[in-house]
Amino acid sequence: MGLMLHRIVVLLVGLVVLGVPAGATAEGGCSNEALRPAGSYASRLSDCRAFEQVTPVSKDGASPSAIEGGVQASPSGERLIFLVPTNMPGAEGAFYPPLFLASRVGEGWSNQGLQLPVQPHGKSRVVGWSEDLSEALDEAREVGPGAGLGVYLRDSASGSFQRAFPVEKDEGGEGNEVYPAGFSSDDSRLIFESESQLLPSAAAGKTNLYEWHAGALNLAGVLPDGSTPPGGSFAGSYDWYSGQGYTSRGGATSGYYTQNTISSDGSRVFFTAGETGQLYVRKNGASTVQVSASQRTVPDPNGIKPAAFMAATPDGSRVFFTSCQKLTNDSTAVSTAEASCRAEGEGQDLYEYNVGSGALADLSVDGTAGDAQGAAVQGVLGVASGPGGTYVYFAASGVLASGASPGSCIGSGICKLYLWHNGTVSFIAALSAEDQNNWRPRPFVGMTHASRVTPDGRTLLFSSQRQLTSYDNRGFNEFYRYDAVSGRLVCVSCAPSGAPPTGSAGLRSLTIILGAIEPSILMRNLSADGSRVFFESPDALVPQDTNNTQDVYEWELAGTGSCQESSGSFSAASGGCLYLISTGRSPDASYFADASASGNDVFFFTDQPLVGQDQDGLVDVYDARVGGGIAAQSPPSPSAPCGGEACRGPAGSAPVFPAPSSAVFSGAGNLVPVASTPLAKPRAKKPKPKKKKTGRKHKKAKKALARDRSAKRAHQTARRGK
């Protein structure tokens, strides 16, 4: 009898939970109420959300996982890329990492491997994808008999693929890696970096930036006189954040963020010439203009200095960069005789270049006499340009506006957070120098960029260890939301009750598989309109959170969705409501994966079964979808609910993310209805970690880990609250 009861509980755990308090729902009820039965976990979700299992039921004992830059949702929320690190039925294109694409088709989710099918001795690996996930980029060998090594574009909808160009082999017989740096919005143009000399005009033995368009391959890194930079070229910035700065490398190859290095229409590409560190824009593949050229009447006496790409507007009309060279007549940048801009005593200014007019402006002119290094700009948190003008959020040591106090970003000093908007600099907050993950140009190993800006520029989200509101965060990271229109700064991850935190709020703080350097991706934890924020927290921020472990939360602005000022979950201190996305009842931690641009889809990792068909106790990715829910994933509600601890079902083991094997799964989806009285499968064992790889990609990863080890150690110390 006890065994039969266990089988029934496993089936019903995602449907009915007796005694779970009901949460906020949209006024007037939900059209998907049948998929949110009273007392279920789903009934507690805000905005008429319901749970949908995104990853397949049949995973052959493996848990979906994540690698650095290996999880991303499409802006629409209809697609998600994830990883299952083991051999799976129907594997194709065996190689690491085995990435998969989940697609919402009709009323269900289907899953497919992204690697190309290859011959018995062939290999295939995914090297990148377009933002909407409609195109994947594969480097493959032996796709057909006798087919050499090449890069292929794969259509996500049809699975069809075409060879874009061949790739040279390195000394070990493998391919010289390809690093995608961006697609145009219609996916017709792609820019990427490679050490392979794919065109005779490319610099031999150097990284070069290429553009692929309409079946033709062209060199994007071309100087104004039509020549090729002797030191090669790469998208966006040189490696300015490492030590003294390395102008010979950078871009996607070095793991830097390369968002908007190609404009949305593909007509403009921003690149840096290797070894000189000078920044250029390539227009329509036909002409090039130097962005970082001096427009000063009297040249800087210390000579030409490198320029570090910070950001560009999506339309490519404006580009922002830093340099310690005085490039305008009013510049207050400070340089020395050193060739770099990272030497002691130097300070960089923030510049804006207008691609249309060719005008260059210094946005960080520092008139404070005590600032020996001038503004000493540390980095940019984000830029946007909308109907209200251009917004640029940046961190600097100098005193540039009223309210800011003298200090330095160096060591344990204080950094100032500023907003430049339509010619005026405003002070927002004093941050810790250890809050650098907000403006760092590439992520810490196992971490992600913390700041986000809405497309109109009016809302900034960032994290800080400092106490920036009345809430005492005790040195733990919290997320703060700044409204540029009202000037209001609030903490969205702080406990409304005022209870002190026990840990830091964060993003995707799961154990990352150490592997290849994948594209540096900005997760969407801030909705496009700024009304929703998603994050992880180890603290119980609402009464329904009783599991004493990490959960995924949503903050929602009052007047949006379920949140009203009259709502029980409303907090006047934050101006919004806090809601659980994960259940708050799982014995194990849940992790944020990504969200759609609107925030209507929130993807997260959990090993807790949330729909009837999920019975294996493995980690899955779920979508908490507004108006969502899939009837086929859950059987009809039972006539008699379970009670007490039995409703929790079997306690799943902690979500372990093992080292990957070299295979992919391309099997059926997860839309098979569950029988009313199924037999419970034996609890699947998680695969043991595989032996560490020692190939070229693993060596690159080890170098990346070593490069960031000291910075990561400082960051982890700060997360413990010192």
Side-chain angles (χ1 to χ4, degrees):
M1 179 66 181
L3 178 60
M4 181 60 71
L5 175 61
H6 173 73
R7 288 171 177 169
I8 295 174
V9 168
V10 170
L11 170 65
L12 303 182
V13 65
L15 296 176
V16 178
V17 182
L18 189 64
V20 177
T25 58
E27 297 293 334
C30 302
S31 61
N32 61 339
E33 210 62 51
L35 300 172
R36 299 162 34 90
S40 69
Y41 288 128
S43 69
R44 299 167 50 213
L45 294 171
S46 63
D47 301 337
C48 294
R49 295 183 187 273
F51 293 121
E52 298 180 3
Q53 186 178 359
V54 175
T55 44
V57 170
S58 177
K59 297 180 289 294
D60 206 20
S63 287
S65 181
I67 61 172
E68 186 79 33
V71 177
Q72 186 176 16
S74 64
S76 67
E78 301 293 320
R79 297 186 177 107
L80 179 79
I81 283 179
F82 64 95
L83 166 72
V84 177
T86 188
N87 290 314
M88 300 286 283
E92 293 181 327
F95 205 72
Y96 169 76
L99 292 169
F100 295 81
L101 175 68
S103 303
R104 199 178 196 276
V105 181
E107 290 300 317
W109 287 90
S110 64
N111 291 269
Q112 58 181 303
L114 284 180
Q115 273 86 345
L116 297 180
V118 295
Q119 299 297 303
H121 299 291
K123 287 184 179 180
S124 173
R125 69 181 183 92
V126 179
V127 296
W129 47 82
S130 59
E131 185 180 17
D132 62 2
L133 310 187
S134 65
E135 298 276 357
L137 206 63
D138 280 61
E139 185 181 85
R141 183 176 65 200
E142 297 294 329
V143 172
L149 191 64
V151 171
Y152 295 78
L153 279 170
R154 184 183 189 277
D155 182 85
S156 298
S158 66
S160 62
F161 53 90
Q162 60 174 314
R163 183 172 177 173
F165 47 85
V167 178
E168 291 181 345
K169 294 182 180 179
D170 60 18
E171 294 178 357
E174 298 294 336
N176 282 318
E177 297 175 10
V178 170
Y179 295 88
F183 281 82
S184 59
S185 59
D186 64 359
D187 299 338
S188 65
R189 295 176 183 267
L190 160 69
I191 58 171
F192 66 93
E193 301 164 13
S194 178
E195 291 183 4
S196 291
Q197 190 178 10
L198 302 178
L199 295 170
S201 57
K206 304 290 184 179
T207 296
N208 289 272
L209 181 64
Y210 298 91
E211 178 185 34
W212 185 87
H213 172 57
L217 185 66
N218 296 289
L219 191 64
V222 179
L223 296 176
D225 62 2
S227 65
T228 300
S233 57
F234 32 83
S237 179
Y238 73 92
D239 191 8
W240 62 272
Y241 207 76
S242 299
Q244 295 298 309
Y246 298 97
T247 56
S248 61
R249 69 189 191 201
T253 306
S254 295
Y256 272 55
Y257 295 104
T258 58
Q259 280 74 17
N260 298 333
T261 52
I262 181 171
S263 61
S264 56
D265 65 359
S267 65
R268 293 165 177 173
V269 174
F270 299 100
F271 71 91
T272 297
E275 299 178 0
T276 68
Q278 295 304 301
L279 185 61
Y280 299 87
V281 57
R282 182 73 169 166
K283 300 180 180 180
N284 296 308
S287 63
T288 302
V289 175
Q290 184 178 351
V291 168
S292 56
S294 175
Q295 296 188 12
R296 185 179 175 87
T297 304
V298 178
D300 189 321
N302 285 318
I304 298 174
K305 306 296 178 181
F309 173 92
M310 293 286 134
T313 55
D315 64 359
S317 62
R318 290 175 171 82
V319 58
F320 304 87
F321 66 95
T322 59
S323 179
C324 61
Q325 182 182 349
K326 289 180 169 62
L327 298 175
T328 61
N329 289 331
D330 60 349
S331 174
T332 52
V334 177
S335 64
T336 66
E338 296 291 332
S340 75
C341 281
R342 302 290 286 175
E344 184 178 353
E346 294 184 320
Q348 301 191 96
D349 273 9
L350 176 62
Y351 295 95
E352 176 197 51
Y353 179 80
N354 187 309
V355 177
S357 67
L360 183 67
D362 189 331
L363 308 186
S364 59
V365 175
D366 187 355
T368 303
D371 291 341
Q373 294 175 272
V377 175
Q378 303 299 301
V380 170
L381 286 76
V383 303
S385 186
T390 300
Y391 296 78
V392 185
Y393 297 90
F394 65 98
S397 292
V399 177
L400 307 179
S402 60
S405 301
S408 172
C409 292
I410 299 175
S412 59
I414 301 300
C415 260
K416 273 75 74 177
L417 172 59
Y418 293 105
L419 164 64
W420 181 93
H421 175 54
N422 292 345
T424 301
V425 176
S426 303
F427 172 71
I428 297 176
L431 305 182
S432 166
E434 294 177 341
D435 291 333
Q436 60 183 293
N437 213 38
N438 289 293
W439 57 85
R440 187 177 164 89
R442 65 182 176 204
F444 284 111
V445 174
M447 299 298 291
T448 188
H449 199 68
S451 61
R452 305 288 185 275
V453 177
T454 53
D456 63 7
R458 296 184 177 184
T459 304
L460 167 70
L461 178 72
F462 65 97
S463 69
S464 181
Q465 300 172 15
R466 287 179 55 81
Q467 181 180 340
L468 303 182
T469 65
S470 59
Y471 178 79
D472 183 3
N473 63 322
R474 299 191 176 184
F476 288 109
N477 271 316
E478 300 289 355
F479 280 101
Y480 296 89
R481 180 182 182 273
Y482 175 74
D483 187 320
V485 176
S486 66
R488 188 182 185 194
L489 178 67
V490 299
C491 179
V492 297
S493 62
C494 296
S497 65
T502 61
S504 293
L507 289 174
R508 200 186 293 163
S509 53
L510 47 72
T511 301
I512 296 291
I513 294 173
L514 179 61
I517 298 175
E518 298 297 325
S520 294
I521 296 168
L522 295 178
M523 292 186 292
R524 298 183 195 88
N525 63 312
L526 174 67
S527 63
D529 63 0
S531 66
R532 290 167 170 163
V533 176
F534 306 102
F535 60 91
E536 302 164 349
S537 178
D539 298 317
L541 304 180
V542 298
Q544 294 85 0
D545 189 347
T546 61
N547 58 359
N548 295 316
T549 190
Q550 178 177 284
D551 279 286
V552 179
Y553 277 89
E554 172 189 15
W555 175 91
E556 191 168 68
L557 182 67
T560 303
S562 300
C563 184
Q564 306 296 324
E565 291 188 9
S566 58
S567 301
S569 55
F570 173 75
S571 168
S574 71
C577 304
L578 277 174
Y579 300 115
L580 276 166
I581 292 296
S582 56
T583 68
R585 296 295 181 94
S586 172
D588 303 306
S590 299
Y591 303 91
F592 176 76
D594 207 352
S596 58
S598 65
N600 286 345
D601 295 83
V602 189
F603 300 93
F604 65 102
F605 292 90
T606 181
D607 63 359
Q608 184 179 30
L610 299 178
V611 295
Q613 70 176 16
D614 186 1
Q615 302 178 54
D616 55 20
L618 298 171
V619 174
D620 278 287
V621 177
Y622 276 88
D623 180 3
R625 184 182 180 95
V626 171
I630 299 171
Q633 290 190 349
S634 298
S637 298
S639 57
C642 61
E645 288 297 310
C647 290
R648 295 182 64 182
S653 58
V656 178
F657 301 96
S661 65
S662 56
V664 297
F665 168 68
S666 183
N670 56 4
L671 305 182
V672 180
V674 180
S676 58
T677 56
L679 295 177
K681 294 181 179 179
R683 190 168 178 78
K685 294 182 179 180
K686 295 182 173 65
K688 294 181 180 179
K690 306 294 182 182
K691 292 182 179 180
K692 292 183 178 180
K693 292 185 178 288
T694 58
R696 187 167 181 256
K697 293 180 71 60
H698 184 71
K699 291 178 180 178
K700 281 180 173 284
K702 289 181 67 178
K703 290 180 180 179
L705 178 62
R707 187 167 59 237
D708 282 346
R709 184 170 294 157
S710 60
K712 183 184 179 185
R713 187 179 297 115
H715 181 75
Q716 290 175 330
T717 301
R719 283 172 63 89
R720 290 194 293 268
K722 302 178 184 178

